[in-house]
Amino acid sequence: MTCAVPVPHVAIIGGGFSGAALAWHLARANMPALRITVFEPRPTLGAGLAYGTTDPHHRVNAPAARMSLDTDNQHDFMDWIIQTGAVAGDDAAWRPDGACFPARAVFGRYVADRLAPLLAGGAITHHRAIVQAAHRRGDNRWVLSCGDGTVTEADIVVIATSHPPPRPPAPLRGLALRPGAHPVLVANPWDHGALDDIRATDRVLVVGTGLSMADAVATLNARGHRGPVLAISRRGQRSRGHAPHKVEAFGAFTTPPARTARAVLRRVRDTLRASAEQPWQAVFDRLREQAADIWAALPLVERRRLIRHLRPFWDTHRFRISPPTEDIMSARHRAGLLEFMAARLTQVTVEGEAFRVTLRHRNGHARPAAFDAIITTTGPAHGDIITAQPFLSGLAAAGMVEMDPTGLGLHVDALGRACVGLRHEATLFVAGPLARGRFGELMGLPEVSRQVARLSAVLRALVAPHAGPAGVAAGASAEPFTA
């Protein structure tokens, strides 16, 4: 006797790189009795916030040879660039050692190109809508309600959304400003046209000194901005650059495992001192490779201590600025058009068409200053992860998701299942940066690629008993999918 078995349906909420890569891995697993739907309002999958920018001066921060959708072929992106001529005419993308740093939009096109045949063949469905609510029925199936009015049922749900945008510092909240007029406050530099109202000679304050600051400065520079820019952060550190030539990862940081943040720091310092001939980038490349194991060995209290004291130093060395962008920053700095300061913004008022601000230095000295525009580039608002999206708020209210104890993302177990306390949700998973609290390093593309590849294997194992050939299995029941 044979009877039809419901085809397992995997719903992926979020179609940036994390969601698109997971769908790609699942679709290539040769399981015909599997439905894959990616919910993403943007017109293409894979671009997301990072790779959806159309600004040609926003470049990938790692060499193209280290970026790939295919974890079995590290050079897939680089091969695609050569085959398609994707950076033809962009001489600044190439470095003397042959490394390539294309515009981020190029990587977005590469992912879309790899997904195109799977979308055209129906292996992946792209639903252009925002998921507003998700709840689980009594039969364990999920129901997703979208902003376009559609309702979709699924057996497995994967949360692959991004971090919320930056939250402006407290002194900038509640200011009475006129849209399109001066002074200009850019709360999220990733919004389309966010920098359009900044004039060529405006005095600009950038709050934050990381990669987003560098992107904002590169955009302003390309638009002919020639006014002074001051970038501030509490420590005044800015993203470091790449080594002038290719380096091999160096060092060993997991044997024996360090159990405290202080021990991790001591081991890094000892390695740097003992191998002065090695570029620091080589040591941090090895740290990046071993980051997940280093993180896993630390108890919660030490993870929190590492985040509080060492994360700013890690971020500025780990997330490196692309050489073309570094060239722009260096040129502006030499021309006196870009300065960095260790300070925080403590007071802001609006006087006419300018901001009057107070900057408090690390030494306690307060300095008044005036600016025509302020741009906030303080990084994701991790604390807003759940409240920023209605469907996550609903899942949290239902007791199905919660923040990770580190505050970096959502609480998940080693398989990527959403957790609340000691209880996990059997068919609710998290992919990409929102799983960072568990795995430690999930902001870089290579790490995300590996995590979604592992998660794909978990999901395939989960659905395999329910996915017979072409949706038909001998002697199987027609009961809804359960895990």
Side-chain angles (χ1 to χ4, degrees):
M1 174 182 176
T2 61
C3 60
V5 175
V7 176
H9 185 194
V10 178
I12 302 171
I13 305 176
F17 177 74
S18 300
L22 177 61
W24 183 83
H25 279 283
L26 286 172
R28 293 176 71 246
N30 196 26
M31 296 179 67
L34 179 66
R35 291 177 58 201
I36 305 166
T37 301
V38 183
F39 294 84
E40 169 57 53
R42 295 179 177 90
T44 59
L45 297 180
L49 184 63
Y51 305 109
T53 173
T54 57
D55 192 323
H57 300 93
H58 292 175
R59 296 185 178 273
V60 300
N61 300 309
R66 296 184 186 175
M67 302 176 66
S68 177
L69 179 66
D70 188 349
T71 49
D72 293 327
N73 181 5
Q74 180 181 327
H75 300 286
D76 190 52
F77 179 37
M78 194 68 230
D79 292 343
W80 179 87
I81 287 175
I82 295 172
Q83 292 165 3
T84 62
V87 296
D90 183 11
D91 294 340
W94 296 96
R95 310 312 294 172
D97 64 354
C100 183
F101 292 83
R104 290 188 197 156
V106 174
F107 186 80
R109 294 201 300 272
Y110 151 74
V111 177
D113 190 57
R114 290 293 187 252
L115 286 170
L118 299 173
L119 288 163
I124 300 172
T125 298
H126 176 192
H127 190 148
R128 287 192 62 186
I130 296 175
V131 174
Q132 298 285 1
H135 73 272
R136 191 176 57 199
R137 295 191 316 213
D139 62 2
N140 286 327
R141 298 204 83 207
W142 292 91
V143 178
L144 307 183
S145 301
C146 295
D148 61 358
T150 59
V151 176
T152 303
E153 296 182 7
D155 301 291
I156 295 173
V157 171
V158 182
I159 300 167
T161 50
S162 182
H163 286 292
R167 181 191 297 176
L172 293 173
R173 301 171 201 164
L175 292 175
L177 300 172
R178 293 175 298 159
H182 276 65
V184 177
L185 174 60
V186 180
N188 183 4
W190 296 102
D191 285 342
H192 180 70
L195 306 183
D196 288 353
D197 292 329
I198 297 178
R199 299 172 300 208
T201 58
D202 278 353
R203 300 160 295 176
V204 179
L205 174 66
V206 184
V207 184
T209 56
L211 295 179
S212 294
M213 174 276 301
D215 285 340
V217 170
T219 297
L220 289 174
N221 189 76
R223 295 181 177 188
H225 182 264
R226 57 188 184 276
V229 176
L230 174 64
I232 65 170
S233 63
R234 289 180 181 269
R235 294 174 176 81
Q237 293 192 5
R238 63 187 179 102
S239 295
R240 304 297 184 90
H242 290 266
H245 53 80
K246 184 178 180 181
V247 298
E248 297 296 331
F250 176 83
F253 303 99
T254 58
T255 306
R259 301 299 184 185
T260 67
R262 187 182 298 274
V264 173
L265 177 61
R266 184 167 53 248
R267 197 169 294 178
V268 173
R269 285 176 169 171
D270 289 347
T271 302
L272 289 169
R273 279 195 295 266
S275 54
E277 75 284 356
Q278 293 283 350
W280 64 262
Q281 290 93 339
V283 175
F284 274 79
D285 285 350
R286 180 54 52 79
L287 275 170
R288 178 176 176 176
E289 291 177 0
Q290 299 181 346
D293 292 332
I294 295 170
W295 185 258
L298 296 174
L300 177 59
V301 65
E302 292 300 325
R303 292 182 181 183
R304 288 172 170 166
R305 186 169 285 119
L306 186 148
I307 291 169
R308 185 166 61 251
H309 297 293
L310 300 182
R311 179 180 159 200
F313 300 95
W314 168 253
D315 285 352
T316 55
H317 290 79
R318 152 71 180 85
F319 300 108
R320 296 169 206 160
I321 191 171
S322 72
T325 306
E326 187 176 24
D327 292 343
I328 294 171
M329 304 268 285
S330 298
R332 287 189 68 100
H333 184 69
R334 289 194 299 269
L337 297 179
L338 176 61
E339 298 294 333
F340 299 91
M341 181 185 297
R344 58 190 177 91
L345 191 63
T346 59
Q347 187 176 3
V348 181
T349 58
V350 176
E351 294 184 13
E353 292 192 343
F355 293 109
R356 299 289 174 180
V357 310
T358 300
L359 303 175
R360 187 166 298 278
H361 295 241
R362 291 192 68 185
N363 61 11
H365 174 69
R367 166 188 164 183
F371 298 94
D372 306 298
I374 297 178
I375 306 170
T376 62
T377 62
T378 50
H382 293 99
D384 296 340
I385 287 173
I386 288 177
T387 58
Q389 303 203 55
F391 87 93
L392 285 178
S393 298
L395 289 173
M400 294 182 174
V401 299
E402 66 178 4
M403 288 294 290
D404 181 85
T406 63
L408 292 179
L410 296 177
H411 185 189
V412 302
D413 66 8
L415 295 180
R417 297 175 295 195
C419 296
V420 173
L422 299 177
R423 177 178 54 82
H424 69 260
E425 294 294 331
T427 55
L428 180 62
F429 293 81
V430 181
L434 290 191
R436 187 181 181 192
R438 160 65 66 169
F439 301 107
E441 176 52 71
L442 273 179
M443 296 297 284
L445 187 136
E447 289 77 23
V448 173
S449 292
R450 289 192 289 270
Q451 191 252 348
V452 298
R454 292 192 299 268
L455 181 55
S456 171
V458 171
L459 298 183
R460 293 197 306 270
L462 185 59
V463 303
H466 306 269
V472 177
S477 69
E479 296 177 357
F481 177 94
T482 56

